Amino acid sequence: MLLQQILNGLTAGSVYALIALGYTMIYGILGLINFAQGEIYMAGAFATVLLLSAYKVNFFVAFLFGMGVAAVLGLILERLAFRPLRGSHPLVPLISAIGASIFLQSLALLLFGPADRAFPLQFEFAALDIAGVTVSTLQVAIFVTALFFMALLVVFVKYTKFGKAIMATALDQDTARLMGINVDRMIALTFLIGSALSGAAGIMMAIYYNTTYPRMGLLPGLKAFSAAVLGGVGNIPGAIVGGLLLGVAENLGAGYLSSGYKDAVAFAILIIVLLVRPKGLLGGRGH
Amino acid sequence: MTEYFLHIAIISALHIILALSLNLIIGYCGQVSLGHAAFYGLGAYTSALAAIHWQASFFLTLPLAGVVAALFGLGLGIPTLRLRDDYLAIVTLGFGIIVDLILLNLEVTGGPDGLVRIPPPQLAGVDFRNKFMYLLLVALVVAFTLGLIYRLVHSRHGRALKAIRDHEMTARVMGINAAAYKISIFTLAAGLAGLAGALYAHYITFINPESFGLHTSILVLTMVVLGGMGSILGSVVGAGVLTILPELFRRFADYQDLAYGAMLIALLIWRPQGLLGTGKISQKFSLAKNRAKKGN
Amino acid sequence: MLTLKSVHSYYGSLHVLKGVSLHVRAGEIVALLGANGAGKTTTLKTISGLLKPRTGQVEFQGEDISRLSAEAIVQRGIAHVPEGRRVFSTLTVAANLELGAFARRDHQAVKKDLQEIQERFPILRERARQPAGTLSGGEQQVLAMARALMARPKLLLLDEPSMGLAPRLVQQVFAIIRHLQATGTTILLIEQNARAALKVADRGYVMETGRISLDGTAAELMDHNEVKRAYLGKGYQEVWED
């Protein structure tokens, strides 16, 4: 039972971590809580589902397509809703992000309707029974894929020129410019990466729960933000640890307390972290 | 027809209270609450439940609604505003979702069906089912809200608030407890939203969680931004405009949220001071672009 | 090499530079002196593109660079070591150095330069894997200067390199400046420590409230009564002397 909950929690948590990475990177570089992150997650899922329903394409092609759509949407948002407001009081881009979030959500509602859509899967997943714990190969696939993306990001940030330039921009924009770093481009790149990861998260959740709908991004968005705060906003390993912990805590809460309030666990954690350790477990950085 | 206009006037007045209170948070905490509708809902449910279960007079349940909403505001403000005020938006968003969840799941709140047969206010000889009388009652609370804000701005505390608003660092150095002031403002604003909720519940006489969700919080936020962040008159006008416009464009009701979202972004880019913002706070949001870091 | 022609710069509505004209010839060290708030840092920021002049011209090697972005100016060969060092504190020392060469495309040469710089400043090699924020103030200054050198600049702008450093380290910083000049780098230098600056400089400018109030060779300025009174002061301990 306990092990089962932990396993389920790690699956969901690895997806939260992917979204949390987007929050944390964008917050690190712009000091902005990107409220539209959940809608980008939703857009990635919809793009994949629609493509798979309409054409007989390979699943992996559709997956990459969904990530691409999410990334482009992130870039458009940055360009239209955030860049014109750079340098304003921090509240201004925050409200703009809220506007973008509600806009995308209602746009999806108008375009796709409120009904759930199932995920048109092309292959089946097996359920493995290991010492009384049921693990589906889907869970394993999600967890491994999420870890792969996380590892990719960490390697990118730590070992590539542009990754380091993003970190430098997050630390000190003026000095980054003095190195010849184009700050606008680094911010756009951050949105691109964060959005692609959120898109991937959306697709995986759409498969996991076999459902896609316009408001699907709201709760995972909030949970991922809580995960980012738990790990320390602006801190990349923090987002990963925070996401995994949050997923586990949520499933344990649902299993041992009440499943009706499963979604409240993330929020309770957010409040407790703010009260007890506002910098998060691994410490915040950036703005 | 008169009935209809009176109805619009009452709803406008309720929105004015909500917009004014949210504007307080924006102006003096420099932050935005996305759970404003939740405080509105807490007020509505508190007052309705007290009236239904204890047969309490509206004139007792109204202040009770305010106090309960304010207490929730306090509980939320302390962890959030103490150190990191930039989390207020997302914490209140989460709060809104939780309140919604609780209202939907509890038995006492009637779940998704909500509460019905909420008694209208009773006062010797006055029939508050008459919309005109109810409008007077709501107008009284609007006047109370305006008076409170006026008193606040022009008191000793008002000067401290201004100092925090304009130069938070300097204010802190001067020994002003910025966090305590922000928490107080947030608590007050939550309480005012609670009052509006009670007025709504006993006017409509049936409530369900739907009226107090994110949609309503965004609506109020759009009112404030449209009118002008920091402008009192702006909130009044913004609330009026965004109550009347949807009535005129009922056919496009499905596009409402889409329009609010687009409007928020467009206003911030092209007219961050809103329709009427000219004061100090509006400048903070619109002219910040030119304010450069100090250096030589 | 570098010429400023009646440059006016603003912070928002604050008029900071009120018609600054100066020039730096190739191979020179030029010192920019003046009290706090005179506009020295603003002058450097205007040259490196962090700030755009409202009117006036900044010419570098015959090209008007006053409308170029900071990134483009770095590529033209101007490196700016900002006041307070501003190393990227959570990045490693090595990453800081690599970022200094961000604008360059000659990757092989960058590698070679990194080797050379690490040889010249062994501390940067020893601490290569350490976050830059863990270095001491003096080490951070060395890192900031080395980082700028990684861009292979033709012109180096130094803003208060000796600020807040212990006397021994001040000496070391000025030794680096001399060495850079010897290897052909042109330098425009801001210093609170006017005497030390004039010791290494060929020429100097004195700024007052956004204008150049005085200019001359280092020797002339050193002897100038105004400069002596205002910036050199009597009994100033000559800690930078060997």
Side-chain angles (χ1 to χ4, degrees):
Chain A
M1 175 68 182
L2 177 69
L3 207 60
Q4 182 75 61
Q5 300 291 1
I6 290 176
L7 269 169
N8 294 346
L10 285 176
T11 310
S14 64
V15 177
Y16 297 154
L18 282 186
I19 317 172
L21 283 169
Y23 272 119
T24 247
M25 287 180 69
I26 290 171
Y27 191 87
I29 207 161
L30 276 186
L32 166 77
I33 299 172
N34 181 16
F35 268 87
Q37 197 89 10
E39 277 62 47
I40 287 169
Y41 161 101
M42 174 266 294
F46 261 103
T48 305
V49 168
L50 291 174
L51 184 69
L52 280 176
S53 318
Y55 302 100
K56 277 239 155 289
V57 296
N58 179 285
F59 168 78
F60 296 99
V61 172
F63 196 105
L64 288 178
F65 175 74
M67 283 180 76
V69 167
V72 170
L73 188 63
L75 281 182
I76 293 174
L77 266 189
E78 192 274 325
R79 195 74 188 76
L80 295 184
F82 302 131
R83 197 180 293 184
L85 300 172
R86 220 176 290 153
S88 311
H89 184 278
L91 184 57
V92 173
L94 184 76
I95 296 179
S96 185
I98 294 166
S101 161
I102 207 79
F103 178 86
L104 291 174
Q105 217 180 84
S106 31
L107 187 68
L109 199 65
L110 287 170
L111 291 177
F112 312 127
D116 292 2
R117 276 161 203 256
F119 196 96
L121 258 189
Q122 294 165 338
F123 31 81
E124 302 215 331
F125 290 98
L128 309 172
D129 196 70
I130 307 166
V133 178
T134 319
V135 188
S136 82
T137 46
L138 173 61
Q139 284 181 310
V140 176
I142 288 177
F143 188 70
V144 170
T145 311
L147 282 191
F148 167 73
F149 281 125
M150 288 176 217
L152 210 60
L153 180 77
V154 170
V155 168
F156 170 76
V157 164
K158 264 197 122 96
Y159 300 108
T160 69
K161 183 171 163 175
F162 282 95
K164 288 173 202 167
I166 283 181
M167 296 307 277
T169 307
L171 285 167
D172 184 341
Q173 290 199 3
D174 269 357
T175 307
R177 291 172 69 199
L178 290 179
M179 304 295 113
I181 296 168
N182 185 326
V183 166
D184 282 350
R185 233 174 263 169
M186 290 309 127
I187 292 172
L189 184 60
T190 305
F191 269 84
L192 182 128
I193 294 168
S195 304
L197 292 180
S198 292
I203 301 165
M204 291 196 281
M205 277 303 211
I207 301 172
Y208 193 41
Y209 292 119
N210 194 22
T211 173
T212 313
Y213 56 99
R215 297 192 67 167
M216 67 185 280
L218 186 64
L219 277 174
L222 186 73
K223 288 174 186 173
F225 179 80
S226 306
V229 173
L230 177 61
V233 168
N235 184 319
I236 287 178
I240 297 172
V241 172
L244 294 173
L245 275 179
L246 190 106
V248 171
E250 180 182 83
N251 272 275
L252 290 179
Y256 290 95
L257 301 170
S258 149
S259 62
Y261 292 104
K262 180 181 175 191
D263 293 334
V265 172
F267 183 71
I269 288 178
L270 176 60
I271 296 289
I272 292 167
V273 173
L274 289 180
L275 273 171
V276 179
R277 202 179 160 85
K279 284 202 163 243
L281 293 176
L282 303 189
R285 202 187 44 70
H287 293 256
Chain B
M1 202 59 196
T2 331
E3 287 283 294
Y4 177 66
F5 284 126
L6 283 172
H7 171 73
I8 302 293
I10 290 170
I11 299 296
S12 298
L14 292 174
H15 284 157
I16 287 171
I17 301 172
L18 289 176
L20 281 172
S21 56
L22 180 61
N23 205 347
L24 269 181
I25 301 174
I26 289 179
Y28 288 112
C29 302
Q31 273 311 312
V32 47
S33 160
L34 287 180
H36 223 54
F39 296 119
Y40 185 49
L42 281 171
Y45 272 90
T46 303
S47 183
L49 287 171
I52 291 170
H53 291 284
W54 304 330
Q55 281 80 42
S57 155
F58 173 75
F59 298 95
L60 289 177
T61 63
L62 175 72
L64 179 69
V67 169
V68 168
L71 285 177
F72 274 95
L74 183 66
L76 214 52
I78 288 174
T80 313
L81 287 168
R82 204 175 36 135
L83 291 161
R84 302 292 304 250
D85 52 14
D86 54 345
Y87 292 174
L88 187 69
I90 200 136
V91 167
T92 49
L93 171 71
F95 177 68
I97 293 172
I98 302 298
V99 167
D100 198 49
L101 208 62
I102 292 172
L103 293 180
L104 281 171
N105 279 305
L106 281 188
E107 211 157 299
V108 66
T109 56
D113 299 331
L115 301 171
V116 289
R117 285 190 289 282
I118 302 163
Q122 310 240 316
L123 193 72
V126 187
D127 182 9
F128 283 106
R129 275 169 301 183
N130 177 328
K131 286 199 164 62
F132 183 71
M133 293 316 289
Y134 208 92
L135 179 60
L136 280 185
L137 180 66
V138 179
L140 218 61
V141 180
V142 173
F144 167 77
T145 306
L146 284 168
L148 201 72
I149 293 175
Y150 182 85
R151 283 277 305 265
L152 186 76
V153 172
H154 291 92
S155 67
R156 187 169 63 82
H157 297 301
R159 285 193 292 278
L161 283 168
K162 266 180 223 154
I164 295 166
R165 179 194 71 199
D166 297 338
H167 304 283
E168 178 162 343
M169 262 314 160
T170 320
R172 282 188 175 166
V173 171
M174 280 157 59
I176 296 172
N177 187 339
Y181 270 103
K182 287 181 178 181
I183 294 167
S184 312
I185 286 289
F186 184 66
T187 305
L188 175 70
L192 288 171
L195 292 184
L199 285 166
Y200 175 77
H202 294 263
Y203 169 65
I204 295 286
T205 70
F206 58 90
I207 52 176
N208 63 29
E210 217 172 276
S211 313
F212 312 111
L214 187 58
H215 166 82
T216 307
S217 290
I218 300 284
L219 171 67
V220 178
L221 175 63
T222 314
M223 287 169 178
V224 175
V225 175
L226 175 67
M229 293 184 274
S231 161
I232 291 176
L233 190 61
S235 285
V236 174
V237 172
V241 169
L242 285 189
T243 311
I244 294 164
L245 271 186
E247 291 293 328
L248 296 179
F249 296 101
R250 282 235 150 141
R251 274 191 301 148
F252 302 104
D254 288 350
Y255 296 90
Q256 247 186 58
D257 280 354
L258 192 77
Y260 295 154
M263 208 161 156
L264 281 175
I265 302 175
L267 278 167
L268 292 170
I269 293 174
W270 288 298
R271 200 170 164 82
Q273 73 275 36
L275 293 176
L276 292 168
T278 46
K280 262 256 164 84
I281 298 175
S282 319
Q283 281 170 26
K284 173 162 118 179
F285 295 119
S286 51
L287 294 180
K289 238 176 200 166
N290 299 325
R291 204 196 313 142
K293 285 162 270 170
K294 221 198 121 21
N296 54 48
Chain C
M1 185 176 223
L2 177 80
T3 312
L4 271 68
K5 289 180 190 159
S6 55
V7 166
H8 289 258
S9 287
Y10 290 74
Y11 280 111
S13 56
L14 191 67
H15 193 171
V16 183
L17 296 190
K18 300 165 183 167
V20 171
S21 297
L22 59 80
H23 64 273
V24 180
R25 286 186 282 263
E28 273 187 325
I29 297 183
V30 174
L32 196 53
L33 310 175
N36 276 329
K40 304 182 304 271
T41 294
T42 309
T43 304
L44 292 203
K45 282 187 177 174
T46 306
I47 296 168
S48 62
L50 287 181
L51 210 60
K52 298 266 173 291
R54 192 158 303 176
T55 58
Q57 266 195 335
V58 181
E59 268 177 26
F60 181 63
Q61 298 189 310
E63 182 192 7
D64 181 6
I65 58 165
S66 46
R67 298 287 141 219
L68 294 184
S69 68
E71 301 91 81
I73 290 173
V74 176
Q75 283 177 329
R76 299 289 190 285
I78 299 181
H80 179 172
V81 181
E83 192 178 359
R85 318 186 244 284
R86 310 270 284 264
V87 297
F88 299 115
S89 58
T90 59
L91 298 185
T92 62
V93 169
N96 268 273
L97 290 173
E98 284 159 29
L99 284 169
F102 185 85
R104 291 172 58 180
R105 297 282 171 267
D106 48 341
H107 302 289
Q108 290 310 312
V110 169
K111 264 188 196 147
K112 224 182 96 224
D113 286 2
L114 183 63
Q115 293 257 326
E116 270 178 34
I117 277 185
Q118 287 183 329
E119 261 155 44
R120 196 188 322 160
F121 308 109
I123 189 79
L124 301 182
R125 167 164 289 164
E126 284 163 35
R127 307 272 159 98
R129 296 283 141 225
Q130 216 169 299
T134 62
L135 299 185
S136 73
E139 290 163 355
Q140 287 190 20
Q141 184 62 49
V142 170
L143 173 58
M145 289 170 74
R147 183 178 65 181
L149 293 179
M150 285 297 294
R152 273 205 188 165
K154 296 169 188 139
L155 171 66
L156 190 62
L157 310 175
L158 294 175
D159 196 342
E160 306 268 9
S162 75
M163 191 169 64
L165 297 186
R168 188 179 51 80
L169 293 169
V170 175
Q171 248 180 66
Q172 203 184 332
V173 165
F174 277 97
I176 297 172
I177 294 174
R178 280 203 199 88
H179 176 83
L180 287 177
Q181 186 193 28
T183 53
T185 312
T186 310
I187 295 171
L188 178 57
L189 168 74
I190 293 182
E191 255 305 329
Q192 281 291 306
N193 195 336
R195 191 186 299 258
L198 290 175
K199 273 252 161 84
V200 294
D202 301 299
R203 290 187 304 114
Y205 292 89
V206 177
M207 283 191 82
E208 263 171 56
T209 60
R211 293 183 179 83
I212 301 285
S213 60
L214 207 63
D215 72 276
T217 65
E220 280 165 11
L221 289 178
M222 200 90 96
D223 277 341
H224 198 283
N225 282 332
E226 271 300 295
V227 177
K228 267 186 187 163
R229 190 182 54 75
Y231 306 110
L232 299 178
K234 271 189 189 151
Y236 199 96
Q237 213 188 343
E238 298 201 357
V239 289
W240 50 88
E241 296 259 304
D242 292 325

